[in-house]
Amino acid sequence: MTTRLLLDTNLLVLLLVGSIRRDLVPTFRRTRAFSVEDFDKLLTLIPATARLVATPHVLAETSNLIGGLDGKTLSDIRELLGRLVDELDEEHVPATTVVANPLYRRLGITDAGISICAAARDLVVVTEDFD
């Protein structure tokens, strides 16, 4: 059986940045909390047989966060994100559903949406958020 795996926004940004330029992981504003070793560990958590899943909220946040880059690096990362979007399963949980859930007040739209989606669709979530 294929594992359906959902990365939170920060880890998806780490995956994209590290895949294009490992040397940026410790210096880019959005990934500097991570090391190159963290990127390597993330890669080991994604089995070759896994099917990646994302919500529109995660994808929008990811796109916004990588916008802090420029030039060829930004272009390359956006191209990689585009290819990833073509290959992953996008699971939508309407914002009206998310904000009606008690998790919303504690986690916000994106993370509450991840939690609701994961529970409803039997997804494995990889996150660095403790909430």
Side-chain angles (χ1 to χ4, degrees), residues 44-107:
T44 66
L45 293 175
I46 304 172
T49 58
R51 181 82 181 156
L52 290 181
V53 177
T55 67
H57 301 110
V58 168
L59 294 173
E61 274 193 3
T62 298
S63 179
N64 289 337
L65 294 179
I66 63 174
L69 296 163
D70 59 17
K72 181 162 174 35
T73 301
L74 177 58
S75 177
D76 290 347
I77 290 176
R78 282 190 174 153
E79 180 180 330
L80 178 58
L81 177 58
R83 288 195 317 263
L84 185 65
V85 167
D86 283 342
E87 295 173 9
L88 59 72
D89 294 335
E90 186 174 351
E91 298 284 354
H92 178 67
V93 178
T96 53
T97 301
V98 175
V99 299
N101 189 294
L103 287 173
Y104 162 69
R105 290 193 182 266
R106 187 165 55 92
L107 302 176

